[in-house]
Amino acid sequence: MLFRSYQYDRSEDMRLTSFSMAKTLIALLVGLALQDGLIRSLDEMAQHYASSLAGSAYGETPIRHLLSMSSGVKFREDYDGNDDSARLSQATFGGRSAGGAAAVRQFNERISLPGRQWYYASAETVVLALVARAAYGRPLAEVFEERIWRMIGAEASSSWLVDRSGLEIGFMGFGATLRDYARLGLMLADRGK
């Protein structure tokens, strides 16, 4: 260990909740599902796995373009409190939210063909969480714990915020200790080893 410091009255055993870093973890799970043959191709439409999105713009988007945030579905993420990100948060973990597919079905206007334009959109990771959850047929938190967390030698268990539907909130909400976040970072820096 070269250096370790905890600020703001935090200690080494405290769990910290991630924000957008969770998007990378969902992408890892999609990659594992592809490797395991649970997802046949990144060119398949999301609705092939997440049938609750059938007929929607996100459902009719190839997984590949969800991973690269180039779905072509209109989604404004400007953090002004009135943007689509605020609407997604309200639909995911707000007061009377339904969560799951209902949270992303409200964004149903395609403004470009998939793969043509990149735009940061948290909703796309919720769609990927739905796809991965359907591919595995069980909670993503369990799969992540078995396939990644234990393999990196994490000292403490991880946690994930879930919405009312029971789906892991794909765009944020992963919790871990700082030392275990460091282990995860080292694994990513070493290309998954």
Side-chain angles (χ1 to χ4, degrees):
M1 172 176 51
L2 297 176
F3 176 77
R4 178 172 38 159
S5 175
Y6 298 95
Q7 297 176 326
Y8 313 113
D9 294 325
R10 293 190 173 114
S11 65
E12 66 182 40
D13 59 340
M14 290 178 108
R15 284 187 195 343
L16 299 174
T17 302
S18 76
F19 283 82
S20 291
M21 188 201 71
K23 293 174 174 77
T24 299
L25 307 183
I26 294 295
L28 287 172
L29 290 170
V30 170
L32 286 172
L34 180 68
Q35 176 183 299
D36 294 345
L38 300 173
I39 293 174
R40 286 185 296 280
S41 168
L42 295 182
D43 294 316
E44 287 186 292
M45 301 296 173
Q47 66 191 9
H48 181 81
Y49 298 93
S51 60
S52 55
L53 294 175
S56 71
Y58 274 131
E60 295 170 352
T61 300
I63 297 167
R64 172 180 314 284
H65 299 307
L66 293 163
L67 285 165
S68 64
M69 288 194 180
S70 61
S71 70
V73 176
K74 183 179 179 183
F75 188 90
R76 186 172 67 86
E77 189 153 345
D78 298 328
Y79 310 109
D80 63 7
N82 296 311
D83 64 351
D84 293 330
S85 177
R87 290 175 49 212
L88 177 65
S89 294
Q90 193 60 238
T92 306
F93 53 84
R96 289 179 270 167
S97 65
V104 292
R105 284 189 73 90
Q106 65 180 312
F107 309 107
N108 200 33
E109 180 184 347
R110 189 173 300 281
I111 56 175
S112 70
L113 292 174
R116 292 268 173 96
Q117 181 179 351
W118 178 87
Y119 192 80
Y120 191 80
S122 289
E124 306 204 357
T125 311
V126 176
V127 176
L128 289 169
L130 287 162
V131 167
R133 178 77 178 260
Y136 280 105
R138 59 194 181 109
L140 296 177
E142 287 178 13
V143 177
F144 188 83
E145 189 81 20
E146 291 171 14
R147 297 295 307 277
I148 297 173
W149 211 238
R150 289 183 194 152
M151 297 298 167
I152 64 171
E155 293 178 1
S157 62
S158 62
S159 62
W160 214 304
L161 296 177
V162 296
D163 65 21
R164 185 170 285 175
S165 77
L167 179 70
E168 291 78 2
I169 299 174
F171 63 96
M172 60 88 63
F174 179 79
T177 63
L178 289 176
R179 286 167 48 138
D180 286 340
Y181 274 123
R183 285 179 171 84
L184 183 62
L186 288 170
M187 186 250 337
L188 290 169
D190 200 20
R191 299 180 178 266
K193 295 181 185 170

